[in-house]
Amino acid sequence: DLPRKIGALSFNSQLSGDIETLVFDSNISALQFAIGGKGQVKSPLNNPAINSLNFSIKHPNFNDAVKSLKPDFAGLNVVQGGIDLSGQLNWQDKSIEVGDMSGKLGQTSVAGSISVNAGSKPVVKGNLDLGTIVFPATANSGGSSVAGSGGSTSTSSGGRWSKQPIS
């Protein structure tokens, strides 16, 4: 169940193939999300396996995106800005791999890959490169002020934070 009504929704899709291999190219827009996916599903009716799904996820505001799916989410002041991620997904049985991932979460660039095998002994592996993490300039509850691209600035109450960017 979604916590609220979806409202206006746009869905475009092209499907081809047969009952054994379904090829798709789909885009959906709702709740300010723009989600795209292009790939194929083998055995869609029995044991679906998604091979080489190229995906993209965009939303203008990270905190609003999470709140639209989980209303009690308090928000993260350190994430200012939207979501713009793309990558390639492979999903088979209990194994999920996300590779060639790139984009931004807020003002922080994200690139790399991650895999999860949920078999009898779950394993998570990944290699994620995060760019400069930009913290708000002050610890106000609204989270409206953002540090410049050079990193965070110290607060007027003592400057316990470094002015150097995290690399």
Side-chain angles (χ1 to χ4, degrees), residues 5 9 13 25 27 29 50 60 71-72 82 88 90 112 128 135 139 154:
K5 292 182 180 180
L9 178 130
S13 188
D25 185 353
N27 293 291
S29 297
I50 299 175
D72 60 344
Q88 186 176 37
N90 293 302
L128 295 176
F135 292 99
S154 64

Side-chain angles (χ1 to χ4, degrees), residues 39-118:
Q40 65 178 345
V41 180
K42 295 207 181 245
S43 303
L45 299 179
N46 298 324
N47 189 15
I50 299 175
N51 297 314
S52 301
L53 165 64
N54 293 310
F55 70 88
S56 65
I57 302 170
K58 294 182 181 187
H59 193 284
N61 184 293
F62 174 85
N63 288 311
D64 288 348
V66 177
K67 285 179 187 177
S68 69
L69 302 173
K70 184 163 177 48
D72 60 344
F73 176 68
L76 297 173
N77 288 344
V78 297
V79 181
Q80 302 289 324
I83 299 171
D84 186 356
L85 288 176
S86 63
Q88 186 176 37
L89 175 88
N90 293 302
W91 177 14
Q92 190 168 325
D93 197 27
K94 295 181 180 182
S95 175
I96 299 172
E97 297 176 12
V98 179
D100 296 328
M101 186 170 34
S102 65
K104 287 191 138 196
L105 288 176
Q107 297 176 7
T108 303
S109 62
V110 178
S113 62
I114 190 164
S115 66
V116 177
N117 186 331

Side-chain angles (χ1 to χ4, degrees), residues 14-25 39-41 44:
Q14 292 181 339
L15 305 173
S16 62
D18 56 34
I19 200 71
E20 292 300 317
T21 303
L22 177 65
V23 178
F24 62 92
D25 185 353
Q40 65 178 345
V41 180

